[in-house]
Amino acid sequence: MTATKGLEGIVAATTSVSSIVDGVLTYRGYDIDDLADHATFEEVIHLLWYGKLPSNSELNRLKGELSASSAVPSQVFDLIRLIPQATNAMAALRTAVSFLALYDDEAGDMSREANLRKAIRLQAQIPTIIAAFARLRVGQTPISPKEGASISENFLYMLKGEQPDLIAIEALDKGLVLHADHELNASTFAARVTVATLSDIYSGVTSAIGALKGPLHGGANEAVMTMLEEIGSIDNIEPYVKQKLANKEKMMGFGHRVYKNGDPRAKHLQEMSRELGKLTNDLQWYEMSVKIESMMYALKGLRPNVDFYSASVYTTLGIPRDLFTPIFAISRCSGWVAHILEQFENNRIIRPRAEYVGQSDLKYIPVELR
Ligand code: ACO
């Protein structure tokens, strides 16, 4: 038995949710470029969960269900109030999502119908939790969800306490479409491993949030912004990047296990970063990002991944840096759920083997003789 570090190249599941073939990402057969240009996040949720783009009435039904489910039990606010102010937002989200299960009467019902109902509640309530956490930690009152609003509009509304403009809603929505699913990424794998034991959907999503939090996965978008702020100005880029690479440190937002010639989502976010920068008359982060991108390609042959330009996009939208990864979770919840449902449909426990490299043939010595 020989281990494959990081399971690189191992095909661990079959799926019809999404695919990456020759650098092209598709959700249920639709190219991400097509969806990014035309679909709303709610349409993508329908596509991922029910296997097809919705008709008008199906879309309205789903939007109505999501909107009607977006309020959280009041105990969740009580929990959030107990969370220390300096807590990492993903740690807070992970805790609150796990807590939500305790107030869901259907938490233990494993039928597909109940799982879909819980999925709607999770998808609708994660944005409410993040916005409430962001407000409560600075002493502001949480804002109740706005009836009939899309997930993007509602999230920005609950976060800022005012009606967001259309450009911001559309930009966030496109970001959610682009992050919704990505084959067997680390957090989706974590979700599938968890529910393959026949544990429940809340456990699966809680595991996934924990995996997404790390800076090698979803946490990279926040780390990119930290890096941009640390660099500070375009003149500091060259020495900063050279130093990082000389120290064999990772530049956040670059590289990918699967894409070797560029992440197809990055170009959309780059364009959004430029357009939003122009609109707000603040192209600093965009211009710095472009320079870093060209240096990284010249020096390392590495292209940006989805997290690189999302940092400047969300910053230009006025979103606090530590909410970038939670926003990723709002989007990826849709993909996690699709994979969890698929895992339940054709389940087998996921239990690989390990190559043992420790000592052997040791003999027990009584504690007083050690
Ligand atoms: N900066 C500098 N060098 C890098 C980077 C980077 N961001 N990414 C990869 N490399 C180099 C490695 O040092 C290594 O070089 P070497 O062969 O000379 O030692 C080589 O490229 C291969 O890198 P690995 O880390 O082995 O690649 P792996 O497939 O295991 O990791 C990962 C992929 C985690 C994305 C990696 O590229 C990375 O750490 N990137 C930075 C974090 C990041 O942006 N994560 C978000 C990924 S997208 C997402 O999850 C949403």
Side-chain angles (χ1 to χ4, degrees):
M1 286 196 304
T2 313
T4 304
K5 197 170 179 195
L7 299 183
E8 179 165 5
I10 303 289
V11 178
T14 57
T15 183
S16 56
V17 180
S18 63
S19 78
I20 307 167
V21 178
D22 297 333
V24 176
L25 170 62
T26 60
Y27 298 167
R28 299 222 183 254
Y30 292 90
D31 193 316
I32 185 68
D33 290 342
D34 197 9
L35 295 170
D37 286 341
H38 302 112
T40 62
F41 181 48
E42 282 78 4
E43 285 181 282
V44 167
I45 294 173
H46 195 285
L47 176 66
L48 294 173
W49 294 0
Y50 302 98
K52 69 186 216 15
L53 283 171
S55 65
N56 231 334
S57 62
E58 286 166 335
L59 181 59
N60 286 335
R61 188 180 331 130
L62 176 64
K63 282 161 80 174
E65 286 169 351
L66 286 165
S67 179
S69 308
S70 51
V72 296
S74 63
Q75 292 88 342
V76 174
F77 293 137
D78 298 339
L79 171 84
I80 294 174
R81 283 189 187 93
L82 291 174
I83 294 176
Q85 202 184 13
T87 299
N88 173 283
M90 282 297 278
L93 179 64
R94 186 193 59 217
T95 304
V97 166
S98 181
F99 188 73
L100 269 185
L102 313 185
Y103 293 89
D104 191 326
D105 293 340
E106 293 191 300
D109 185 337
M110 299 295 277
S111 67
R112 181 176 163 85
E113 295 69 31
N115 279 331
L116 276 165
R117 287 192 293 274
K118 285 180 276 185
I120 284 172
R121 291 196 278 278
L122 269 163
Q123 185 68 68
Q125 291 172 11
I126 285 177
T128 312
I129 289 171
I130 298 166
F133 171 71
R135 293 184 69 84
L136 282 167
R137 70 178 170 182
V138 291
Q140 293 172 328
T141 315
I143 310 268
S144 300
K146 189 174 159 190
E147 213 178 300
S150 70
I151 289 175
S152 307
E153 178 182 352
N154 207 14
F155 175 68
L156 291 171
Y157 170 74
M158 290 187 293
L159 182 65
K160 300 190 176 190
E162 58 187 41
Q163 179 58 32
D165 63 47
L166 197 58
I167 290 168
I169 297 169
E170 285 178 358
L172 179 62
D173 207 62
K174 198 182 234 196
L176 298 183
V177 168
L178 287 167
H179 287 79
D181 198 45
H182 205 221
E183 200 224 50
L184 213 52
N185 61 89
S187 56
T188 300
F189 188 52
R192 288 188 81 131
V193 169
T194 299
V195 301
T197 66
L198 295 185
S199 188
D200 62 287
I201 191 167
Y202 282 100
S203 301
V205 171
T206 304
S207 294
I209 293 171
L212 187 71
K213 176 175 178 284
L216 297 189
H217 188 16
N221 55 12
E222 178 183 343
V224 169
M225 203 58 227
T226 305
M227 178 178 79
L228 289 174
E229 284 177 359
E230 206 175 290
I231 297 173
S233 83
I234 210 147
D235 297 336
N236 299 334
I237 290 175
E238 202 172 316
Y240 182 94
V241 174
K242 284 187 172 160
Q243 188 66 55
K244 276 264 179 194
L245 296 182
N247 293 346
K248 299 230 164 290
E249 287 176 56
K250 292 278 177 72
M251 285 288 292
M252 289 293 130
F254 284 89
H256 200 277
R257 171 63 65 76
V258 182
Y259 301 117
K260 298 303 171 200
N261 291 315
D263 181 328
R265 302 163 296 179
K267 61 179 179 293
H268 293 281
L269 289 151
Q270 177 174 12
E271 192 186 317
M272 287 159 71
S273 170
R274 185 183 55 234
E275 291 312 308
L276 288 168
K278 274 193 213 157
L279 280 169
T280 52
N281 230 352
D282 181 8
L283 281 159
Q284 182 200 3
W285 304 122
Y286 171 74
E287 284 167 357
M288 285 178 67
S289 303
V290 169
K291 177 152 185 202
I292 295 170
E293 175 179 352
S294 71
M295 270 198 82
M296 282 301 286
Y297 190 64
L299 296 176
K300 242 349 222 183
L302 288 174
R303 305 262 195 201
N305 56 49
V306 71
D307 290 314
F308 188 60
Y309 283 98
S310 53
S312 46
V313 165
Y314 296 146
T315 298
T316 314
L317 290 177
I319 294 169
R321 190 183 7 171
D322 71 337
L323 300 190
F324 297 177
T325 316
I327 288 174
F328 193 155
I330 295 176
S331 169
R332 189 56 59 83
C333 177
S334 62
W336 294 330
V337 163
H339 281 269
I340 288 169
L341 295 173
E342 187 175 65
Q343 185 66 38
F344 282 144
E345 271 161 26
N346 185 19
N347 190 54
R348 191 168 188 216
I349 193 168
I350 299 171
R351 200 304 186 189
R353 295 296 311 277
E355 179 189 355
Y356 179 68
V357 295
Q359 299 181 66
S360 53
D361 298 328
L362 302 181
K363 294 281 172 266
Y364 179 81
I365 300 167
V367 67
E368 59 279 9
L369 298 180
R370 263 177 250 153

